[in-house]
Amino acid sequence: MNKVYDIKVNNKVVFVRVDFNVPIKNGVITNDNRIIQALPTIKYLLENNAKVVLMSHLGKIKHKEAPEVVEEAKKKNNLAPVAIRLSELLNKEVKFINATRGSELEIAIKELKAGEAILMQNTRYEKGEEKNDPELSAYWANLCDAYVNDAFGTCHRAHASTYGIPQFAKEANKEVAIGYLVEKEVNSLRKCIEAKEHPYVAILGGAKVSDKIKIIEGLLPKADKILIGGAMAYTFLKSLGYNVGNSLVEEDRVEFAKEMLAKANGKIILPVDHLVVDNIENYSVKKYTEDQNIGDGLIGVDVGPKTIEKYANELIGSKVVFWNGPMGIFEKDEFANGTLEICKAIAKLENCFSCVGGGDSASAVIKLNFADKFSHVSTGGGASAEIIENEGHLPGIDIIEG
Ligand code: ADP
Ligand code: MG
């Protein structure tokens, strides 16, 4: 697969799909991590005298809604503030082009000098973007000499900017490549898929079994152990007949959980105790359980100390760790201990490749200040889950690799 540094970029118009889908409140960017993550590729291209045309989606625009609703969504999801922040981070002006097609964009591209960058308006201003519309894809592909995808967070979507452009560009014998961020993501996540090194321990948590069925199925043949936490654990425990009280359970997945446990031959490990409360928002009871049972009227909100010790022991000596899904309701500090302790246990491992995937898991690790203790913290929520489920494949990557 071509990397950005494999293709000819000198004096070429290079379209770069980045993930600038950042949170913006009242025109102010509240977290610029995604912009920062895209900098290595942008800097490389500028230093190597490319004419850089940056493109990204921002938020959601439903084109089927009434015209005034669409206009409102466009106003809310204007990419202009990103160009300002990006210019500051690069210490170099990145001109914002308030258009996704037409003469304004075309003239700006013609006037671009080598070593300069522009950012076009939100790709989702175009209703053909999410439909991977061939007319739009061909139009954009025609405007570039080469294409680079560095938007890992959207690689699981076959949209015009992630799939259509490289498809048409390749047909026109233009070079296509992945950027530094996508390269790191793919290499890291594929390590967790190829599972060449053992022991390999996966940790799965989060709210729902149903969200994770495919990941569990994908990891079962590869991992040596799968440690379960979060609300997901209660569906599994219920399937074994334990009392889970009022904890979050997916009744329609209890049967699946039971079958999975039978198939897993002891690979799936469940919590042995829990932190429970009588009410999540406003509790008068908060305690650890004695064992797996939660008790009538109580709600599991985190794993307990015995589970933490057991999981930390399971992790010792592992060579690969893949973690998806927090151990408890980590958004509340008083229920974040299990997630924190798992962070600590992973941070201690030596010679281990540790990878976190999933939107909430990544924010938990970042919030708890452990991001630099992991080999890789994925920037892709859905994309990191889907690449695991699909054996290392995503549409936005396959079109470049194939
Ligand atoms: P990711 O985004 O990393 O894939 P998920 O979206 O699957 O993770 O799960 C994250 C959510 O799971 C968090 O919002 C967290 O509060 C919730 N969660 C974890 N444990 C519990 C629990 N015991 N009860 C209810 N929700 C939980
Ligand atoms: Mg999530």
Side-chain angles (χ1 to χ4, degrees):
M1 179 159 46
N2 272 343
K3 318 291 175 355
V4 59
Y5 46 82
D6 295 325
I7 64 172
K8 291 188 199 75
V9 299
N10 184 29
N11 223 14
K12 304 252 188 224
V13 174
V14 183
F15 269 39
V16 188
R17 177 50 157 108
V18 283
D19 182 0
F20 285 163
N21 184 28
V22 291
I24 300 181
K25 271 199 190 120
N26 304 322
V28 179
I29 297 166
T30 54
N31 181 342
D32 61 2
N33 182 43
R34 286 187 168 147
I35 307 176
I36 289 168
Q37 299 278 350
L39 291 176
T41 294
I42 299 171
K43 281 185 182 160
Y44 171 86
L45 288 166
L46 293 174
E47 280 160 16
N48 287 277
N49 293 318
K51 299 173 177 178
V52 180
V53 180
L54 298 163
M55 58 197 320
S56 173
H57 78 284
L58 175 66
K60 288 197 173 95
I61 298 173
K62 293 182 182 149
H63 289 274
K64 278 189 185 144
E65 302 276 358
E68 60 277 13
V69 179
V70 174
E71 275 320 299
E72 203 45 49
K74 283 186 176 176
K75 231 189 246 166
K76 190 177 153 221
N77 295 308
N78 190 323
L79 260 183
V82 172
I84 297 169
R85 183 74 191 118
L86 178 62
S87 303
E88 288 168 4
L89 289 167
L90 285 172
N91 216 350
K92 181 184 185 86
E93 205 211 330
V94 176
K95 198 171 157 197
F96 180 68
I97 308 302
N98 188 13
T100 46
R101 65 161 82 215
S103 58
E104 193 182 342
L105 176 67
E106 290 163 26
I107 291 168
I109 293 174
K110 268 209 193 88
E111 288 176 351
L112 251 184
K113 296 195 181 71
E116 284 182 357
I118 56 174
L119 171 65
M120 73 162 83
Q121 185 53 280
N122 183 354
T123 52
R124 290 193 182 166
Y125 273 39
E126 292 282 346
K127 70 167 179 274
E129 157 74 334
E130 292 190 68
K131 293 185 186 146
N132 190 22
D133 177 63
E135 183 275 327
L136 177 64
S137 303
Y139 170 73
W140 278 335
N142 222 347
L143 290 175
C144 69
D145 301 319
Y147 168 89
V148 173
N149 186 342
D150 209 25
F152 182 71
T154 36
C155 280
H156 58 315
R157 301 200 170 109
H159 291 173
S161 67
T162 57
Y163 195 91
I165 304 179
Q167 183 185 19
F168 281 96
K170 276 164 73 177
E171 277 172 28
N173 285 318
K174 296 176 179 179
E175 287 191 294
V176 300
I178 55 170
Y180 286 105
L181 174 63
V182 171
E183 182 184 7
K184 180 169 188 275
E185 292 274 9
V186 170
N187 285 346
S188 302
L189 290 158
R190 283 188 179 168
K191 258 191 204 167
C192 299
I193 296 159
E194 287 158 6
K196 286 192 185 134
E197 289 191 87
H198 292 268
Y200 176 2
V201 178
I203 308 165
L204 296 180
K208 293 179 178 168
V209 176
S210 52
D211 286 346
K212 311 279 154 116
I213 285 178
K214 285 198 201 147
I215 300 187
I216 302 174
E217 285 175 334
L219 290 175
L220 207 50
K222 303 178 194 276
D224 301 297
K225 291 275 159 62
I226 301 181
L227 315 178
I228 304 277
M232 216 208 292
Y234 314 130
T235 303
F236 279 100
L237 288 171
K238 178 153 191 177
S239 83
L240 294 174
Y242 291 106
N243 178 355
V244 294
N246 289 345
S247 305
L248 186 63
V249 165
E250 284 175 284
E251 293 296 343
D252 56 342
R253 303 294 167 181
V254 172
E255 206 42 46
F256 167 84
K258 197 172 182 172
E259 284 165 20
M260 226 49 210
L261 288 172
K263 237 199 260 176
N265 262 333
K267 266 191 192 180
I268 294 181
I269 316 236
L270 300 174
V272 289
D273 63 346
H274 317 274
L275 178 66
V276 297
V277 293
D278 56 345
N279 183 309
I280 292 174
E281 294 308 325
N282 185 8
Y283 50 84
S284 49
V285 179
K286 179 175 176 241
K287 61 173 189 184
Y288 291 116
T289 60
E290 288 297 316
D291 58 19
Q292 286 93 335
N293 293 295
I294 285 179
D296 293 339
L298 296 172
I299 303 164
V301 290
D302 195 9
V303 290
K306 292 178 199 160
T307 307
I308 291 168
E309 198 189 334
K310 186 176 164 90
Y311 286 8
N313 278 330
E314 293 287 358
L315 283 165
I316 291 170
S318 42
K319 288 275 169 286
V320 182
V321 171
F322 175 72
W323 183 10
N324 171 279
M327 295 291 99
I329 307 179
F330 76 97
E331 294 91 339
K332 290 187 184 291
D333 291 344
E334 65 267 44
F335 308 151
N337 188 53
T339 304
L340 173 68
E341 290 300 324
I342 292 295
C343 280
K344 286 188 193 164
I346 295 172
K348 268 194 226 150
L349 301 173
E350 283 170 16
N351 302 318
C352 171
F353 184 82
S354 55
C355 182
V356 181
D360 292 294
S361 318
S363 22
V365 165
I366 292 164
K367 184 183 164 196
L368 297 169
N369 275 322
F370 275 83
D372 60 341
K373 300 285 189 294
F374 284 80
S375 313
H376 184 65
V377 179
S378 179
T379 57
S384 64
E386 282 191 33
I387 196 169
I388 297 281
E389 294 165 16
N390 300 328
E391 289 283 324
H393 294 282
L394 292 177
I397 289 160
D398 291 354
I399 188 68
I400 289 172
E401 194 160 43

